[in-house]
Amino acid sequence: MVKRTRYLSKRPKSNKALHQAPGTVTYVGRKEQVETKLEVIDYNAEKYERFTSKRPEDAFQFEEEDRTTWINIDGLSNTSEIEKIGKYYELHPLIIEDIVNTNQRPKIDEYKDYFFIVAKMLYYKEDGRLENEHISIVLGKNYVLTFQEAGGDVFDGVRERLSTEKGRIRSRGADYLVFALLDAIVDHYFLVIDDMSDKIEAMEERLFDAQPKDDTILEIQELKRTMLRIRRAVNPLREVVSRLEKMNHNLVQEQTINYIRDLYDHMLQVSENIEIYREMTWGLMDMYMTTISNKMNEVMKVLTIMASIFIPLTFLAGIYGMNFEFMPELEYKYSYPILLIAMFLLIVGMLFYFRRKRWL
């Protein structure tokens, strides 16, 4: 009997994936014209073999019990090649459907002979843009399949450890390889979050130290959108790792569970940091509005002081601007300079008063 755990996934944006029968293999993604390429790494503690190919059949020759085979498939738009691989490894049609649907939420499905895991890789490309790439992992007996939209991933460290016999990975089975792949994904989560932390702190300093520019609010909105993308990619994977840790299955050895438990601790730390930086990002908008309000208050204070100074001057000028015939000061020859001196002393006195009150 098949035991499956399915989480709710985001509804596909592409109309071609809608209104089709379950199990229909239709690619939903951004990279339509990507040639399917396979990278095969077959190893054990003593032997190591690696090659690349464009033909799925070339990867079907490795079936030795004492060796582990990792097949990494780049390019999902050629669904016939993906179906060929799925048929050979007897994957459920719903698994093939989920592999080519890049809008799938991170999840884990448990079958009798294999596990299916969906995750999101986050890493920065050479041009500085944040890449959010869909990856599917199938763990079977002595083999691991990974499916990606295109070339480029976060697994170079794993490949290096396999080729140079660093660490324990060559002497462990396929379950430990899956742990190593998930661990590489989580490690890059930390790098992405640290970069977001630097950007948030830099924005805070700009808001405190300088007059916000017109495009500052757009930059804050972009930070909020990026944090939301990161949160959507990372938080569901915590459930996946937790489920994997608690599984009682012959494909996952007891000694590997201890490493998965440590990976879950890392996921908790990542999730906590994401929530902290998400709150900080939302706080940037409040800080921006507060900064704008403070600047406006400074302007209003200056205008209020100027108005307060000119109100009594306008009062005096208004009195002596009235056209009454009998005004005793009009006939006095020093009335004009006396009035100017009085106005000047009034200005000085008010400025002194404002200074003592620390309004200036």
Side-chain angles (χ1 to χ4, degrees):
M1 182 177 180
V2 175
K3 180 181 179 181
R4 310 184 68 244
T5 302
R6 295 181 60 88
Y7 300 117
L8 293 175
S9 60
K10 185 178 179 182
R11 193 171 183 85
K13 296 180 180 179
S14 177
N15 291 330
K16 63 183 180 182
L18 300 176
H19 312 299
Q20 295 187 359
T24 303
V25 181
T26 303
Y27 172 66
V28 179
R30 298 167 295 169
K31 303 170 183 177
E32 293 281 352
Q33 304 298 327
V34 178
E35 186 180 21
T36 301
K37 298 180 181 179
L38 284 79
E39 177 191 36
V40 181
I41 299 178
D42 187 69
Y43 65 91
N44 59 18
E46 293 78 25
K47 298 180 181 180
Y48 172 85
E49 182 179 355
R50 175 181 178 182
F51 70 90
T52 58
S53 175
K54 297 180 181 179
R55 300 176 63 251
E57 295 82 1
D58 294 338
F60 300 159
Q61 56 182 304
F62 301 96
E63 296 182 351
E64 299 184 30
E65 291 290 331
D66 63 336
R67 305 179 71 169
T68 299
T69 304
W70 174 21
I71 304 176
N72 182 66
I73 300 95
D74 291 334
L76 305 179
S77 56
N78 191 349
T79 57
S80 61
E81 300 294 322
I82 304 300
E83 287 184 287
K84 190 180 299 182
I85 296 172
K87 183 178 180 180
Y88 178 83
Y89 286 98
E90 299 180 352
L91 302 182
H92 195 281
L94 290 176
I95 296 297
I96 307 299
E97 179 188 3
D98 290 344
I99 287 174
V100 297
N101 184 359
T102 62
N103 291 327
Q104 273 292 337
R105 185 177 186 265
K107 65 173 185 174
I108 181 169
D109 291 345
E110 180 183 356
Y111 288 81
K112 179 180 178 180
D113 299 322
Y114 56 85
F115 293 157
F116 175 64
I117 299 173
V118 175
K120 301 294 182 179
M121 290 189 298
L122 298 177
Y123 59 92
Y124 285 100
K125 303 183 72 173
E126 295 180 357
D127 57 3
R129 291 187 297 110
L130 179 63
E131 182 73 8
N132 183 351
E133 187 170 347
H134 173 87
I135 180 168
S136 303
I137 303 174
V138 177
L139 167 63
K141 184 179 181 181
N142 299 326
Y143 72 86
V144 173
L145 308 178
T146 54
F147 299 85
Q148 306 178 44
E149 277 193 271
D153 54 38
V154 300
F155 302 142
D156 289 340
V158 178
R159 295 185 179 95
E160 180 183 359
R161 286 154 55 194
L162 285 171
S163 62
T164 59
E165 300 184 63
K166 290 183 178 179
R168 58 183 65 86
I169 190 169
R170 285 272 292 272
S171 60
R172 299 295 176 89
D175 56 336
Y176 188 86
L177 175 59
V178 170
F179 156 74
L181 297 177
L182 292 176
D183 187 57
I185 292 174
V186 174
D187 285 345
H188 274 76
Y189 287 166
F190 280 106
L191 297 178
V192 171
I193 292 173
D194 288 344
D195 182 80
M196 288 300 299
S197 173
D198 294 338
K199 291 181 179 179
I200 293 172
E201 291 176 0
M203 180 61 71
E204 286 181 341
E205 293 179 359
R206 286 176 53 187
L207 292 176
F208 274 121
D209 298 339
Q211 174 71 30
K213 299 180 181 179
D214 293 338
D215 60 348
T216 300
I217 190 170
L218 299 179
E219 296 180 21
I220 295 176
Q221 290 288 358
E222 182 62 29
L223 285 176
K224 290 172 62 176
R225 284 192 293 267
T226 303
M227 283 303 305
L228 184 59
R229 288 178 57 201
I230 294 173
R231 187 171 183 265
R232 286 176 175 173
V234 173
N235 281 4
L237 189 60
R238 181 178 61 183
E239 305 170 18
V240 173
V241 177
S242 175
R243 180 81 176 89
L244 187 61
E245 175 196 354
K246 298 173 183 177
M247 279 184 176
N248 184 16
H249 201 287
N250 57 3
L251 289 176
V252 182
Q253 302 178 23
E254 182 64 30
Q255 56 186 354
T256 305
I257 293 294
N258 295 327
Y259 295 101
I260 296 176
R261 188 174 297 115
D262 182 70
L263 179 63
Y264 180 69
D265 292 339
H266 292 172
M267 282 302 307
L268 289 179
Q269 184 179 352
V270 171
S271 298
E272 290 173 358
N273 289 340
I274 287 177
E275 293 304 319
I276 292 173
Y277 295 135
R278 179 171 175 267
E279 293 297 326
M280 292 177 64
T281 305
W282 282 89
L284 288 176
M285 184 61 70
D286 295 335
M287 190 180 302
Y288 172 80
M289 298 305 298
T290 300
T291 302
I292 294 296
S293 178
N294 289 340
K295 297 296 181 181
M296 182 63 67
N297 289 340
E298 290 292 328
V299 173
M300 293 302 298
K301 183 173 71 173
V302 173
L303 294 178
T304 301
I305 290 175
M306 293 179 61
S308 300
I309 292 174
F310 278 93
I311 285 176
L313 301 183
T314 304
F315 174 74
L316 292 176
I319 290 177
Y320 290 101
M322 294 184 295
N323 295 321
F324 291 122
E325 181 177 356
F326 301 103
M327 293 183 69
E329 294 87 355
L330 295 179
E331 302 297 330
Y332 186 58
K333 65 178 181 178
Y334 297 111
S335 296
Y336 181 67
I338 291 174
L339 182 61
L340 292 179
I341 293 173
M343 288 182 174
F344 176 76
L345 293 176
L346 183 60
I347 293 174
V348 173
M350 294 187 70
L351 291 175
F352 178 74
Y353 177 77
F354 294 153
R355 186 72 175 180
R356 286 193 61 183
K357 290 289 186 179
R358 297 188 178 181
W359 295 347
L360 285 177

